[in-house]
Amino acid sequence: MTDVPIQFFQAAATAIPTLMIAVVVGMKFGEGPAQRLEGKGKVGRIVVLVISVVAIAGIFASEFVALAALIQGGGTLEQAYFVWLGITMAFYFLAHEYLMPVKKVATNFERELLDWMILLLMIASLVSATYVLRALG
């Protein structure tokens, strides 16, 4: 177990709520989550709802892990990976909200392309976490 400096968890404990507030503001002024369900079948609706709930639960859990590491005075590499995942998911939601107006006017191919690009950026962030967190620890 490698200890990760407390500064990482301090930054994460601040960044996660800030990112989620940005997502909520984006949702308030943009298209809401209900519009994403339009045109989807029953299975598609269930999938979107389950993924949304699980992702939000993961983001909140990563905030609690960051706070727990702060209380303990530092954290492990595993805790840092979990917190990084929460930050990445929050960025995913923020990017999704930012691109929603673009997706409204895009063709099906362009929407698929945007979704894949966001997913690839999320995966790249998680892969880069290995190098960044090992350098910290």
Side-chain angles (χ1 to χ4, degrees):
M1 271 201 296
T2 306
D3 286 335
V4 176
I6 193 169
Q7 291 85 358
F8 172 79
F9 295 102
Q10 288 172 333
T14 304
I16 292 171
T18 305
L19 289 170
M20 292 313 295
I21 288 171
V23 169
V24 169
V25 168
M27 288 171 65
K28 182 161 179 67
F29 293 110
E31 183 177 275
Q35 283 82 14
R36 290 186 205 137
L37 297 176
E38 289 178 1
K40 295 198 183 278
K42 186 176 182 178
V43 173
R45 287 174 178 251
I46 291 171
V47 168
V48 168
L49 291 172
V50 167
I51 289 173
S52 298
V53 169
V54 167
I56 294 214
I59 292 170
F60 281 117
S62 68
E63 174 68 14
F64 291 130
V65 167
L67 292 173
L70 287 176
I71 291 169
Q72 295 170 352
T76 64
L77 195 57
E78 290 79 17
Q79 287 174 311
Y81 280 130
F82 192 77
V83 169
W84 191 289
L85 176 64
I87 292 171
T88 302
M89 287 189 296
F91 270 120
Y92 171 79
F93 278 128
L94 186 61
H96 195 59
E97 286 303 319
Y98 176 75
L99 292 173
M100 193 56 71
V102 174
K103 290 173 93 175
K104 277 178 117 174
V105 297
T107 64
N108 283 340
F109 173 75
E110 291 167 339
R111 282 193 292 272
E112 288 271 331
L113 186 62
L114 280 173
D115 287 340
W116 280 106
M117 287 185 342
I118 292 171
L119 182 64
L120 287 174
L121 286 173
M122 187 174 170
I123 291 169
S125 171
L126 294 174
V127 169
S128 68
T130 302
Y131 301 105
V132 172
L133 293 175
R134 291 206 188 271
L136 287 175

